[in-house]
Amino acid sequence: KKRNPEAPIGAADSHSGDTLRMHLRSLLQVDSSRVLIVRKINRLGFASPQILREHFSWYGTVENVLVAHSRVKSGGGQAGIVSRLRPSGLGFVVMSKGEEALKILAEGPEQQVSGTIIRVQKFERRMSESPAGLEELEAKEQEQEPCSESRAMGG
């Protein structure tokens, strides 16, 4: 697929309102050998889709970068419940060819992107393609997120 020349640069990466579930559903239509899971990308901040696209384009054509930033509710007290946006720790990079994804995986599971170490893994479909399977993965990711944040804060 070619990028729409009228679309601004980075428009394909915006997906600002998209959720992890929406991203996983969109990946059902894609050959999984072309898809990479990237983790610990929250350290790249809100610009992670653009940073990942630029980095992985050295290996070939990046077809899409899917990152769903999460909304965290906190508070109580006088301020009431406050909602803030938090950079996503998980994303998906879709390359145009499986060979390009293999070149990236050959660099190892931990890779440096923009001065930050991230984890890169092969995307595998392990669950049924039902919405229940997607909910199971979402639940697992939600459970893991606070752990990575507490480790990052702890040292």
Side-chain angles (χ1 to χ4, degrees):
K1 294 178 186 174
K2 297 274 183 206
R3 189 178 71 80
N4 178 355
E6 269 91 282
I9 299 288
D13 299 331
S14 62
H15 303 286
S16 56
D18 290 0
T19 63
L20 178 60
R21 176 182 301 187
M22 292 166 81
H23 292 327
L24 288 167
R25 282 201 176 117
S26 72
L27 290 173
L28 291 174
Q29 318 304 319
V30 177
D31 173 14
S32 63
S33 71
R34 298 188 297 126
V35 183
L36 302 168
I37 299 175
V38 288
R39 297 178 188 271
K40 297 187 178 181
I41 62 170
N42 53 319
R43 299 168 185 176
L44 297 173
F46 292 109
S48 60
Q50 293 82 9
I51 293 168
L52 292 167
R53 178 177 289 276
E54 187 175 308
H55 175 81
F56 290 118
S57 67
W58 285 99
Y59 298 90
T61 303
V62 177
E63 217 172 78
N64 208 349
V65 178
L66 302 169
V67 174
H69 300 300
S70 56
R71 194 158 286 286
V72 180
K73 292 181 183 167
S74 61
Q78 291 179 341
I81 295 177
V82 179
S83 177
R84 66 181 177 90
L85 198 58
R86 196 171 109 192
S88 178
L90 174 83
F92 302 95
V93 177
V94 181
M95 301 302 291
S96 65
K97 298 178 186 157
E99 297 80 34
E100 296 165 344
L102 287 174
K103 279 197 283 186
I104 294 166
L105 290 167
E107 297 290 326
E110 293 194 339
Q111 298 184 22
Q112 187 165 335
V113 175
S114 193
T116 299
I117 298 294
I118 66 165
R119 290 196 55 80
V120 181
Q121 297 171 289
K122 182 177 191 216
F123 177 70
E124 296 174 354
R125 289 191 187 95
R126 294 187 196 153
M127 67 197 84
S128 68
E129 297 180 359
S130 69
L134 296 177
E135 287 167 13
E136 180 183 316
L137 180 64
E138 267 186 330
K140 280 184 187 173
E141 288 302 325
Q142 292 297 326
E143 288 170 16
Q144 291 174 1
E145 284 295 318
C147 295
S148 64
E149 183 173 290
S150 64
R151 275 199 306 267
M153 292 177 153

